[in-house]
Amino acid sequence: MISLHTSPLDQPGTGDAGGMNVYVLELSKRMAERGIAVDIFTRATDSSLRPEVEAAPGVLVRHVDAGPYEGLTKSELPAQLCTFAREVLRTEVLHEPGWYDVVHSHYWLSGQVGALARDRWNVPLVHSMHTMAKVKNAALAAGDSPEPLARVIGEEQVVDASDVLVANTDLEADQLVSLYGADPARVAVVHPGVDLSVFRNPDRAAARAEFGIAPDALVVLFAGRIQPLKAPDVLLKAVAVMLDEDPSLRSNLVVPIVGGPSGSGLEHPEALADLSHTLGLDDVVRFVPPVGQSQLAKWFAAATLVAVPSHNESFGLVAAEAQAAGTPVVAAAVGGLTTVVADEVSGLLVGGHDPRDWAHALRRVLVDPALRMRLAAGATERAERFAWERAAEETLAAYTLAERTLASAQAAPIAAGGRR
């Protein structure tokens, strides 16, 4: 596994750490449980980090020195690709030939390194985009910066170099084909998973007691990185509209915002708190630092509903995890969220980001106990579709497809139209 720009050991919810961190670590753990040794290469961001850390039995995280430990933004990382790639290639040299059987890269920066390792080691390259510049730029959040042309070109190169692309959803697979010219035969759809042992059947009453939330409170939760892409501002504006229309909700409404600033949100880390104050929501909004998986499961359990107003999500792991906890989700009808959330079954999908539409959807769930119970039951059932064990099996099938693709490409004469 190559995860250059963010380590699976980092705490999701701040900086560049998010659902991809959970994805890489959980998938690797399930691979290891099947007897497959996994090395995860990531860039070292602290001088105190050990070169090698066992994240789980059979899963080794290798910290690669490439550039200064701290202070590098994601836009500055391309300058470190050569150094990072050199150190990755050196690791393989320490073993007998054929040590690695497959390279699975995550995000386009890692894909650039993966393409080099693929050719040097003569092993298949499987790549997961996680997010795509062309998709993000088409649905850019207000105040967010467009992805640069260098990333667009880099993604196109990785798509062409990969033997198989793993898409989170059918929609992402279609986007890879239509926007990047990917060969449909080399695209495998694998839904990410949820650790059901962590998120299923938490104690709701105990969670509320632990967090100091009244048993009868109405809790609207946001969990994720605080950045324009995730649109926590839309949620706060919707809450303000909802309270203007129905002031009676204020007395027992709680709106926890669980996460830290990330990406362009780092430029104005206090902006969301300032917005909350401006909207007169200081009495209902609670800002909570990022938490680990077990604590996050408790927060989901404590919530009446979880709001996911993102402008785009390749999958929407927060929505899947919340549903596993039996909590309805109100989500934007974008990207992978339309796969994760079944509208009117496990939650509600909202078209667009108009705070008035969001206020209406939130209030529907909050004031209708029968609807909440129906959606909660549907959420639990929906979550059963997304398990890491299933994701691991399907990813292994994608690796087998990549092996066949590579063998076929090597057998095809270049003059006859072989890709390489």
Side-chain angles (χ1 to χ4, degrees), residues 20 47 60 103 121 139 146 168 206 249-250 286:
M20 193 183 104
S47 59
L60 189 66
V103 176
W121 299 340
N168 289 327
L249 295 175
R250 182 179 289 270
R286 292 172 55 175

PDB file of all heavy atoms in Angstrom, residues 20 47 60 103 121 139 146 168 206 249-250 286:
ATOM      1  N   MET A  20      -9.939   8.289   4.113  1.00  0.00           N
ATOM      2  CA  MET A  20      -8.921   7.506   3.423  1.00  0.00           C
ATOM      3  C   MET A  20      -7.993   6.813   4.415  1.00  0.00           C
ATOM      4  O   MET A  20      -7.553   5.680   4.195  1.00  0.00           O
ATOM      5  CB  MET A  20      -8.113   8.385   2.468  1.00  0.00           C
ATOM      6  CG  MET A  20      -7.258   7.587   1.490  1.00  0.00           C
ATOM      7  SD  MET A  20      -6.253   8.627   0.434  1.00  0.00           S
ATOM      8  CE  MET A  20      -4.655   8.401   1.201  1.00  0.00           C
ATOM      9  N   SER A  47       9.900  13.809  13.362  1.00  0.00           N
ATOM     10  CA  SER A  47      11.211  13.182  13.536  1.00  0.00           C
ATOM     11  C   SER A  47      11.204  12.098  14.605  1.00  0.00           C
ATOM     12  O   SER A  47      12.099  11.256  14.643  1.00  0.00           O
ATOM     13  CB  SER A  47      12.252  14.241  13.901  1.00  0.00           C
ATOM     14  OG  SER A  47      11.882  14.903  15.108  1.00  0.00           O
ATOM     15  N   LEU A  60       2.511  -3.503   8.490  1.00  0.00           N
ATOM     16  CA  LEU A  60       3.674  -2.700   8.851  1.00  0.00           C
ATOM     17  C   LEU A  60       3.606  -1.343   8.164  1.00  0.00           C
ATOM     18  O   LEU A  60       3.498  -1.268   6.937  1.00  0.00           O
ATOM     19  CB  LEU A  60       4.962  -3.418   8.434  1.00  0.00           C
ATOM     20  CG  LEU A  60       6.277  -2.817   8.931  1.00  0.00           C
ATOM     21  CD1 LEU A  60       6.387  -2.930  10.449  1.00  0.00           C
ATOM     22  CD2 LEU A  60       7.461  -3.508   8.255  1.00  0.00           C
ATOM     23  N   VAL A 103       1.060  -3.672  -5.982  1.00  0.00           N
ATOM     24  CA  VAL A 103       1.126  -2.326  -5.410  1.00  0.00           C
ATOM     25  C   VAL A 103      -0.279  -1.724  -5.475  1.00  0.00           C
ATOM     26  O   VAL A 103      -0.897  -1.703  -6.541  1.00  0.00           O
ATOM     27  CB  VAL A 103       2.110  -1.421  -6.183  1.00  0.00           C
ATOM     28  CG1 VAL A 103       2.074   0.001  -5.631  1.00  0.00           C
ATOM     29  CG2 VAL A 103       3.522  -1.977  -6.107  1.00  0.00           C
ATOM     30  N   TRP A 121       9.323  -3.227 -10.462  1.00  0.00           N
ATOM     31  CA  TRP A 121       9.170  -4.535  -9.828  1.00  0.00           C
ATOM     32  C   TRP A 121       8.427  -5.540 -10.700  1.00  0.00           C
ATOM     33  O   TRP A 121       8.328  -6.708 -10.347  1.00  0.00           O
ATOM     34  CB  TRP A 121       8.429  -4.391  -8.503  1.00  0.00           C
ATOM     35  CG  TRP A 121       9.132  -3.518  -7.495  1.00  0.00           C
ATOM     36  CD1 TRP A 121      10.450  -3.175  -7.481  1.00  0.00           C
ATOM     37  CD2 TRP A 121       8.544  -2.881  -6.357  1.00  0.00           C
ATOM     38  NE1 TRP A 121      10.732  -2.364  -6.407  1.00  0.00           N
ATOM     39  CE2 TRP A 121       9.577  -2.167  -5.692  1.00  0.00           C
ATOM     40  CE3 TRP A 121       7.256  -2.844  -5.836  1.00  0.00           C
ATOM     41  CZ2 TRP A 121       9.334  -1.433  -4.532  1.00  0.00           C
ATOM     42  CZ3 TRP A 121       7.022  -2.112  -4.676  1.00  0.00           C
ATOM     43  CH2 TRP A 121       8.051  -1.414  -4.035  1.00  0.00           C
ATOM     44  N   ALA A 139     -17.963  20.772  -8.723  1.00  0.00           N
ATOM     45  CA  ALA A 139     -18.916  21.057  -7.638  1.00  0.00           C
ATOM     46  C   ALA A 139     -18.182  21.768  -6.512  1.00  0.00           C
ATOM     47  O   ALA A 139     -18.262  21.401  -5.349  1.00  0.00           O
ATOM     48  CB  ALA A 139     -19.546  19.760  -7.138  1.00  0.00           C
ATOM     49  N   PRO A 146      -9.962  25.747  -6.456  1.00  0.00           N
ATOM     50  CA  PRO A 146      -9.992  24.652  -7.440  1.00  0.00           C
ATOM     51  C   PRO A 146      -8.700  23.875  -7.426  1.00  0.00           C
ATOM     52  O   PRO A 146      -7.629  24.398  -7.099  1.00  0.00           O
ATOM     53  CB  PRO A 146     -10.197  25.391  -8.766  1.00  0.00           C
ATOM     54  CG  PRO A 146      -9.683  26.772  -8.529  1.00  0.00           C
ATOM     55  CD  PRO A 146      -9.964  27.081  -7.089  1.00  0.00           C
ATOM     56  N   ASN A 168     -15.126   3.427  -5.569  1.00  0.00           N
ATOM     57  CA  ASN A 168     -15.964   3.196  -4.394  1.00  0.00           C
ATOM     58  C   ASN A 168     -17.408   2.871  -4.752  1.00  0.00           C
ATOM     59  O   ASN A 168     -18.084   2.159  -4.006  1.00  0.00           O
ATOM     60  CB  ASN A 168     -15.944   4.423  -3.485  1.00  0.00           C
ATOM     61  CG  ASN A 168     -14.610   4.604  -2.784  1.00  0.00           C
ATOM     62  OD1 ASN A 168     -13.932   3.644  -2.463  1.00  0.00           O
ATOM     63  ND2 ASN A 168     -14.230   5.847  -2.539  1.00  0.00           N
ATOM     64  N   ALA A 206     -26.034   5.516  27.638  1.00  0.00           N
ATOM     65  CA  ALA A 206     -24.719   5.682  28.260  1.00  0.00           C
ATOM     66  C   ALA A 206     -23.887   6.725  27.532  1.00  0.00           C
ATOM     67  O   ALA A 206     -23.161   7.505  28.159  1.00  0.00           O
ATOM     68  CB  ALA A 206     -23.981   4.344  28.282  1.00  0.00           C
ATOM     69  N   LEU A 249     -37.759  24.502  19.372  1.00  0.00           N
ATOM     70  CA  LEU A 249     -36.742  23.459  19.311  1.00  0.00           C
ATOM     71  C   LEU A 249     -35.466  23.845  20.066  1.00  0.00           C
ATOM     72  O   LEU A 249     -34.676  22.970  20.438  1.00  0.00           O
ATOM     73  CB  LEU A 249     -36.381  23.149  17.852  1.00  0.00           C
ATOM     74  CG  LEU A 249     -37.480  22.539  16.981  1.00  0.00           C
ATOM     75  CD1 LEU A 249     -36.987  22.422  15.535  1.00  0.00           C
ATOM     76  CD2 LEU A 249     -37.893  21.173  17.509  1.00  0.00           C
ATOM     77  N   ARG A 250     -35.263  25.137  20.280  1.00  0.00           N
ATOM     78  CA  ARG A 250     -33.982  25.602  20.831  1.00  0.00           C
ATOM     79  C   ARG A 250     -33.694  25.042  22.225  1.00  0.00           C
ATOM     80  O   ARG A 250     -32.551  24.725  22.554  1.00  0.00           O
ATOM     81  CB  ARG A 250     -33.965  27.130  20.881  1.00  0.00           C
ATOM     82  CG  ARG A 250     -32.644  27.706  21.401  1.00  0.00           C
ATOM     83  CD  ARG A 250     -32.662  29.223  21.418  1.00  0.00           C
ATOM     84  NE  ARG A 250     -32.611  29.785  20.091  1.00  0.00           N
ATOM     85  CZ  ARG A 250     -31.475  30.084  19.454  1.00  0.00           C
ATOM     86  NH1 ARG A 250     -30.307  29.833  20.021  1.00  0.00           N
ATOM     87  NH2 ARG A 250     -31.501  30.605  18.250  1.00  0.00           N
ATOM     88  N   ARG A 286     -21.710  22.807  19.924  1.00  0.00           N
ATOM     89  CA  ARG A 286     -20.565  22.366  20.715  1.00  0.00           C
ATOM     90  C   ARG A 286     -19.463  21.907  19.776  1.00  0.00           C
ATOM     91  O   ARG A 286     -19.691  21.052  18.912  1.00  0.00           O
ATOM     92  CB  ARG A 286     -20.950  21.202  21.634  1.00  0.00           C
ATOM     93  CG  ARG A 286     -21.894  21.577  22.743  1.00  0.00           C
ATOM     94  CD  ARG A 286     -22.385  20.349  23.506  1.00  0.00           C
ATOM     95  NE  ARG A 286     -21.299  19.523  24.027  1.00  0.00           N
ATOM     96  CZ  ARG A 286     -21.495  18.448  24.812  1.00  0.00           C
ATOM     97  NH1 ARG A 286     -22.726  18.092  25.141  1.00  0.00           N
ATOM     98  NH2 ARG A 286     -20.469  17.755  25.234  1.00  0.00           N
TER      99      ARG A 286
END
